[in-house]
Amino acid sequence: MLFAALVVEFVLIKDEITLRTAQRLLRIDAAFGISAGVVLVVGILRVIFFEKGTDYYLHSLPFFVKISLFVILGLLSIYPTVKFMAWRPAVKQGQPPVVDAGTLRTLRRVLHIELAGVALLILMAAMMARGVWMVE
């Protein structure tokens, strides 16, 4: 869900933001935030109570890379969310938001970075599950 929401956001950010696009982006960004929260809670529960146990994860370099990426992606996602939330007054009035080309480019760039980060995060999860780069 998290990755899908990012892909949809990326696809919807075009040269011009219509009212319908802005409405969709607001909903999709909310879904992205909710899915990120679910991923975080489930991940914490898995580390502490399920799967291989805390000791296993604390000796896994991919685990630390994955956690670091998750934090970085969370911080990066603040920019698009703040921009999308700024559109709410216009959207509530039934008007498309006014967005300059530079802001759209920056949004696309941030979403590109987030997509690459999520792909890397998934790779780290697979490596972690297979015990790659375990440290003593």
Side-chain angles (χ1 to χ4, degrees):
M1 173 82 174
L2 186 131
F3 188 74
L6 273 177
V7 169
V8 171
E9 284 184 3
F10 182 75
V11 169
L12 290 176
I13 296 290
K14 297 179 181 162
D15 294 335
E16 182 182 335
I17 303 296
T18 65
L19 175 61
R20 183 149 168 85
T21 300
Q23 291 168 332
R24 286 179 176 171
L25 282 166
L26 284 165
R27 284 193 305 271
I28 294 297
D29 197 59
F32 174 74
I34 291 167
S35 65
V38 169
V39 167
L40 180 63
V41 169
V42 169
I44 290 169
L45 291 173
R46 287 182 70 171
V47 167
I48 295 172
F49 298 111
F50 305 108
E51 299 301 319
K52 299 175 181 178
T54 308
D55 191 51
Y56 175 84
Y57 293 108
L58 294 179
H59 289 92
S60 171
L61 185 58
F63 173 74
F64 289 106
V65 173
K66 182 180 167 186
I67 297 302
S68 299
L69 279 169
F70 193 82
V71 169
I72 291 167
L73 292 173
L75 293 172
L76 273 174
S77 74
I78 292 170
Y79 179 77
T81 298
V82 168
K83 291 298 178 186
F84 298 155
M85 295 300 278
W87 300 350
R88 289 180 91 186
V91 169
K92 282 186 179 184
Q93 293 177 353
Q95 300 173 0
V98 177
V99 186
D100 64 273
T103 299
L104 286 175
R105 273 193 310 275
T106 303
L107 283 167
R108 286 187 66 83
R109 190 173 305 125
V110 169
L111 291 169
H112 256 131
I113 294 167
E114 286 183 282
L115 285 166
V118 170
L120 190 55
L121 192 140
I122 292 168
L123 174 64
M124 290 297 117
M127 292 173 70
M128 182 182 70
R130 287 168 179 71
V132 176
W133 285 346
M134 297 300 286
V135 292
E136 296 299 317

